[in-house]
Amino acid sequence: MSRPLHRGGFAGKTQSKQREALDRNNSSHKSSVSSPLTFVINSIFCDNSSPNSSKIVDGSASDLFNSGVFRSRGNWGVVFVKIGLVSVVFLALFGSLWWTILITTSSRGQIIKGYRRLQQQLVTEFADIAELSVGSARLKEVEFCAQEFENLVPCFFNVSGDLGSGDSDGNLYERQCGQGWKQNCLVPLPANYKIPLRWPTGRDVIWVSNVKITAQQVLSSGSLTKRMMMLEEDQISFRSDSLMFDGIEDYSHQIAEMIGLRSESSFIQAGIRTVLDIGCGYGSLGAHLFSKQLLTMCIASYEDSGSQVQLTLERGLPAMIASFNLKQLPYPSVSFDMVHCAWCGIDWDQKDGAFLVEVDRVLRPGGYFVWTSPITNTRKSLRNKENQKKWSIVSNVARNMCWEMLSQQDETVVWRKTSRKDCYASMKPGSGISICSKKHDIESSYYRSLELCSGGTHSRRWIPIKERRTWPSRANLNMSELDIYGVQVEDFVDDSMSWKSAVRNYWSLLSPLIFSDHPKRPGDEDPSPPPNMLRNVLDMNAHFGGFNSALLEAGKTAWVMNVVPTSAPNYLPLILDRGFFGVLHDWCEAFPTYPRTYDMVHGEGLLSLQTGQRPSCTLLDLFIEIDRILRPEGWVILRDTTPLIETARSLGARLRWDVRIVEIETNSIEKLLICQKPLLRKQLK
């Protein structure tokens, strides 16, 4: 609903002129002084549907009380209703003015300022009433998709995919983005959808109706999973006292000992902060490591039902759809401290070891690759020639990449990527792995084809993890570190300070919206939203990751998926080196996640960035994608130029969001758009 912005209050001279204008019938006066009251009266009495009615020009109107217009309508009841509205306006303004005069004049300046603010709010609200009274045409709302699209993931085969289909290599559900991916409808809710439980309860208990999985799939998914998950009538519980949780704790402790640490609590001191978990199950390892200040990103292939990624995200844990089959991962080189695979379904011996080369690419020097599989149990492999062959291929590729095997226990083996630069020069000829040319861009990998060449030490970020500062000191980069990314210290500091202020403002703005029905005494302030109100945030234009850093410093428990658009400067390496999560993405394509994924979507300058994209990439497409990603009752905060924010408000209304525009006191060029996606049970077609 459009709300014109007005400045200032009423002066006596302005009111006098307005009364003279209202008393003059059949006039076409055009005033150079526009007031909010004039706008309200114009909106109420001007019927745009009538050819004889006046039009608002520069805030004034003509023929407001033309008797011919009233007689032509033939409905005196409408006239009386509108006159009543005008009377209410005059009484409200007169009453507030009289109240101001009665109050002591000791603080006249503050009173007048507050009075003007009340006037602006009053006129804005009555402008909404006026807009409804004249029946202004609403923008057409976007329709909902058919119910079978409730778990739609564009760019992937879904809904009714043929499990027997695939490409020549037998790859199912591979990412295929193009002109055909776009949707022009909103993804509907599953039947009986419920708002996820607040963190940390929601990490361990999810609603069955929110995910596409059946009881049979849970019970048939393996003995370990059955011990981990207890399917109740309407919930799936990942219980902390289950055998599987204890198994995860013992397993992570085993990995720590194999690395040479006392326990998993020492991971941070050893320089380990971010973990890439391939085929993560349902995020149990990540949930456990989260309590140790480690961030674990789950990646798995798209699954039509019983998805690892969907259930992990529903728990509020980091996850995204990705696979090794054909393309590189959308992360730059040397980005993770550990890569983990436990029964992940990857055939590491295939394609001449290309999958292992991709692991080497994303691992930092001195980082760890942990693989748990029956193949790694050499005693049992001796009885199986096929497994023995696979183990031989994997171990040879690891040796050719200068990986060091640290330990091998039962079905788990741990390698460490070399920290020696001279090791790459001694790669054996004919091993199938070579060093990529210096022209090869190793920082901007975005779904490129898998390659058998190693990035070697070309990156300026090629720094062993033991030489990096540990978390949380890693988040605050110094001058020499910023120089690697071409960033000035002043710019970095200014960005950090502005985001600290922005987070405080966001929370103060959300307070009255969240607690609008909160009973309180006059003069009491609204309580602040709880720090665990959000479990995860998608920052669509992350820049330096300042929003992520400010949330952590403010004590918010949410983790942030920092997205660097492919059309923006690539600061993703900087974000990852700070110890945060991030990914490259083209926002003209669908984000690789399931519907109803994030509690908040944030974008600063994103709309300006998108308007310069290809013509087929519209803002409406972007908003429909945001709606797919956002959970019901989730929040959207966008900051951009005033014209783009006004456009965004109309788009949000088309998606049935609750939209509000907030002015930025220190910036007259930009505005904030704060939206909330409602929980719509009735999804009309």
Side-chain angles (χ1 to χ4, degrees):
M1 181 179 296
S2 178
R3 297 185 179 183
L5 299 174
H6 299 274
R7 294 292 185 185
F10 293 127
K13 185 176 180 180
T14 304
Q15 292 179 348
S16 176
K17 288 186 178 182
Q18 290 171 346
R19 294 192 185 97
E20 292 175 4
L22 294 175
D23 291 336
R24 190 177 299 118
N25 295 332
N26 301 322
S27 67
S28 58
H29 173 65
K30 185 179 293 186
S31 174
S32 60
V33 181
S34 174
S35 72
L37 181 59
T38 305
F39 170 77
V40 173
I41 297 176
N42 292 343
S43 302
I44 294 176
F45 285 95
C46 293
D47 187 353
N48 293 331
S49 64
S50 172
N52 295 325
S53 62
S54 60
K55 296 183 178 180
I56 298 176
V57 181
D58 295 334
S60 62
S62 61
D63 296 335
L64 295 177
F65 294 97
N66 191 308
S67 59
V69 174
F70 289 134
R71 288 193 298 270
S72 65
R73 294 176 180 175
N75 189 345
W76 288 98
V78 176
V79 176
F80 289 133
V81 171
K82 295 184 176 181
I83 292 176
L85 287 174
V86 175
S87 301
V88 172
V89 175
F90 276 109
L91 288 174
L93 294 177
F94 180 79
S96 61
L97 179 61
W98 181 254
W99 174 79
T100 304
I101 295 174
L102 291 179
I103 297 178
T104 178
T105 59
S106 60
S107 57
R108 181 181 300 272
Q110 295 180 357
I111 294 174
I112 292 177
K113 183 178 180 180
Y115 168 66
R116 289 178 175 176
R117 188 182 298 112
L118 289 174
Q119 276 188 326
Q120 294 171 13
Q121 181 178 358
L122 178 66
V123 171
T124 301
E125 297 301 327
F126 273 96
D128 291 343
I129 298 175
E131 187 175 353
L132 290 174
S133 67
V134 299
S136 59
R138 297 180 63 187
L139 292 174
K140 184 179 179 181
E141 292 180 338
V142 180
E143 299 292 337
F144 283 95
C145 307
Q147 193 61 46
E148 59 263 29
F149 287 88
E150 65 186 32
N151 289 295
L152 175 67
V153 182
C155 299
F156 291 87
F157 295 105
N158 54 85
V159 182
S160 59
D162 182 5
L163 294 178
S165 65
D167 57 24
S168 58
D169 294 330
N171 297 305
L172 301 178
Y173 298 127
E174 270 301 320
R175 178 181 179 274
Q176 297 182 8
C177 271
Q179 295 297 324
W181 78 267
K182 291 186 179 180
Q183 63 188 86
N184 55 4
C185 56
L186 303 180
V187 174
L189 291 177
N192 303 319
Y193 178 86
K194 297 180 181 180
I195 300 299
L197 301 173
R198 182 173 292 173
W199 184 276
T201 304
R203 179 189 59 198
D204 301 322
V205 180
I206 65 174
W207 302 108
V208 176
S209 56
N210 290 7
V211 293
K212 192 175 182 181
I213 192 170
T214 64
Q216 185 60 36
Q217 287 174 322
V218 173
L219 297 176
S220 63
S221 56
S223 58
L224 291 176
T225 304
K226 283 188 289 186
R227 292 200 299 268
M228 175 184 67
M229 302 169 62
M230 183 181 70
L231 184 64
E232 299 179 354
E233 182 177 355
D234 58 352
Q235 295 177 342
I236 297 177
S237 299
F238 303 81
R239 302 183 60 179
S240 59
D241 58 348
S242 68
L243 295 175
M244 183 57 189
F245 189 91
D246 294 336
I248 284 293
E249 187 171 3
D250 292 340
Y251 176 64
S252 62
H253 186 82
Q254 176 189 359
I255 294 174
E257 290 183 334
M258 294 175 71
I259 291 175
L261 307 175
R262 290 185 177 181
S263 68
E264 65 270 33
S265 300
S266 303
F267 279 140
I268 290 291
Q269 287 70 30
I272 302 173
R273 159 68 176 172
T274 54
V275 179
L276 184 66
D277 193 2
I278 305 168
C280 62
Y282 300 127
S284 294
L285 178 63
H288 175 62
L289 294 180
F290 195 88
S291 63
K292 309 298 181 183
Q293 300 188 60
L294 271 68
L295 284 179
T296 304
M297 173 59 68
C298 162
I299 62 170
S301 300
Y302 171 82
E303 297 170 276
D304 182 60
S305 180
S307 168
Q308 303 172 70
V309 172
Q310 187 184 38
L311 267 73
T312 301
L313 286 167
E314 189 64 27
R315 298 181 66 185
L317 299 168
M320 63 178 291
I321 300 172
S323 68
F324 283 92
N325 287 348
L326 297 174
K327 305 291 184 180
Q328 291 181 341
L329 300 174
Y331 312 114
S333 298
V334 294
S335 297
F336 292 93
D337 303 316
M338 179 185 289
V339 176
H340 174 261
C341 163
W343 306 285
C344 61
I346 301 295
D347 295 325
W348 298 106
D349 59 300
Q350 297 297 307
K351 297 190 176 183
D352 299 323
F355 301 150
L356 286 170
V357 174
E358 178 65 0
V359 171
D360 181 82
R361 186 183 70 82
V362 299
L363 264 181
R364 291 191 173 99
Y368 304 93
F369 176 55
V370 181
W371 183 28
T372 298
S373 168
I375 298 175
T376 63
N377 191 325
T378 53
R379 292 182 180 179
K380 292 184 179 180
S381 294
L382 292 176
R383 306 172 189 172
N384 188 315
K385 292 185 178 180
E386 185 65 25
N387 285 348
Q388 186 178 3
K389 179 180 178 182
K390 291 180 179 180
W391 168 250
S392 177
I393 293 174
V394 171
S395 57
N396 286 335
V397 172
R399 192 179 304 109
N400 290 334
M401 292 189 300
C402 300
W403 287 5
E404 176 188 0
M405 182 186 292
L406 295 181
S407 181
Q408 188 173 8
Q409 296 181 13
D410 301 326
E411 295 185 343
T412 301
V413 61
V414 177
W415 282 284
R416 179 166 57 196
K417 178 177 176 177
T418 183
S419 299
R420 296 169 46 204
K421 291 188 175 182
D422 60 341
C423 185
Y424 289 93
S426 61
M427 281 189 174
K428 296 180 180 179
S431 63
I433 303 172
S434 60
I435 302 297
C436 300
S437 65
K438 292 185 177 181
K439 295 181 180 179
H440 186 79
D441 187 0
I442 59 177
E443 305 290 10
S444 302
S445 175
Y446 183 67
Y447 296 110
R448 292 180 175 176
S449 299
L450 287 173
E451 297 180 294
L452 273 175
C453 66
S454 170
T457 61
H458 291 168
S459 175
R460 296 183 63 188
R461 300 166 49 241
W462 205 90
I463 303 173
I465 60 173
K466 290 187 177 180
E467 296 180 14
R468 293 178 179 269
R469 289 186 291 167
T470 58
W471 178 263
S473 299
R474 182 189 293 187
N476 300 312
L477 303 177
N478 56 37
M479 182 181 298
S480 60
E481 291 169 333
L482 289 172
D483 184 61
I484 296 176
Y485 318 99
V487 176
Q488 298 296 323
V489 175
E490 296 79 8
D491 295 338
F492 184 79
V493 172
D494 290 345
D495 182 79
S496 299
M497 295 299 295
S498 64
W499 280 116
K500 290 179 183 178
S501 175
V503 167
R504 289 194 298 269
N505 291 337
Y506 288 170
W507 244 245
S508 64
L509 290 170
L510 291 176
S511 296
L513 302 179
I514 295 172
F515 300 104
S516 58
D517 297 328
H518 179 71
K520 59 182 183 297
R521 296 177 179 178
D524 289 352
E525 295 183 356
D526 290 314
S528 297
N532 62 344
M533 179 187 72
L534 306 173
R535 301 184 301 177
N536 54 12
V537 177
L538 179 69
D539 194 357
M540 301 178 71
N541 188 19
H543 200 53
F544 296 153
F547 183 43
N548 190 162
S549 178
L551 284 173
L552 290 176
E553 292 193 23
K556 315 306 179 187
T557 58
W559 63 270
V560 180
M561 174 65 84
N562 296 283
V563 179
V564 175
T566 54
S567 56
N570 184 14
Y571 291 115
L572 182 58
L574 181 151
I575 292 172
L576 293 167
D577 289 348
R578 296 184 71 179
F580 304 149
F581 274 148
V583 66
L584 287 171
H585 185 66
D586 181 355
W587 282 116
C588 290
E589 300 176 353
F591 195 70
T593 190
Y594 287 83
R596 302 167 297 277
T597 293
Y598 288 95
D599 294 332
M600 175 180 284
V601 174
H602 175 267
E604 192 269 336
L606 177 70
L607 304 180
S608 297
L609 192 66
Q610 284 301 106
T611 53
Q613 295 300 298
R614 46 190 180 270
S616 60
C617 180
T618 67
L619 289 182
L620 179 59
D621 296 327
L622 179 67
F623 271 65
I624 291 176
E625 174 64 4
I626 294 175
D627 184 86
R628 185 185 71 88
I629 293 172
L630 189 65
R631 287 193 178 103
E633 297 189 0
W635 298 91
V636 177
I637 298 181
L638 300 176
R639 174 172 176 169
D640 225 299
T641 61
T642 298
L644 285 174
I645 289 296
E646 293 288 352
T647 301
R649 173 167 63 174
S650 64
L651 293 175
R654 293 185 63 182
L655 273 57
R656 301 170 180 82
W657 295 350
D658 298 327
V659 294
R660 301 165 181 85
I661 288 183
V662 179
E663 293 188 358
I664 303 174
E665 295 181 359
T666 59
N667 192 332
S668 60
I669 301 176
E670 296 182 328
K671 289 185 180 179
L672 280 178
L673 181 71
I674 299 181
C675 310
Q676 187 176 29
K677 177 182 176 180
L679 176 61
L680 296 175
R681 291 296 181 188
K682 189 175 182 180
Q683 299 164 355
L684 301 176
K685 298 295 185 290

